[in-house]
Amino acid sequence: TEYLNRNPLAADSLAGIQSWWLSGVPLNISNSDVETAILILVQRGTLQCNVQPDGAKIYSRASSVIR
C-alpha cells in the first residue's frame, strides 16, 4: 500500500504490480504470493479488481479508499 499512497490512481495487472508497485522490494516474491496478497487486499476492501473485456484483471485502490 506504500506505492498506492504515492500513486493513488495507479492501476495494474499482476505483472504490472510486480514490476512497478514492488520494484523497490528487495525480496524475490513469487507470482503466487503476490496474487494471494492481492486477493487478500481485495477481500479487505483496500484494492478493487476490474475485469477488462479481454478477461485481463486490473487492480487499483478501492474507490472507498481514494483520498
Side-chain angles (χ1 to χ4, degrees):
T1 58
E2 190 174 313
Y3 180 84
L4 289 174
N5 288 337
R6 292 189 317 268
N7 304 281
L9 300 179
D12 277 301
S13 64
L14 175 61
I17 289 171
Q18 288 180 295
S19 295
W20 293 100
W21 301 21
L22 301 176
S23 63
V25 177
L27 304 173
N28 280 334
I29 303 171
S30 72
N31 288 352
S32 176
D33 287 344
V34 173
E35 189 168 24
T36 298
I38 289 169
L39 293 176
I40 290 169
L41 291 170
V42 169
Q43 289 174 346
R44 290 182 180 172
T46 303
L47 293 180
Q48 63 188 17
C49 177
N50 294 303
V51 180
Q52 304 301 298
D54 65 356
K57 294 179 181 177
I58 303 297
Y59 299 94
S60 61
R61 176 173 268 177
S63 300
S64 61
V65 179
I66 294 177
R67 298 176 198 177

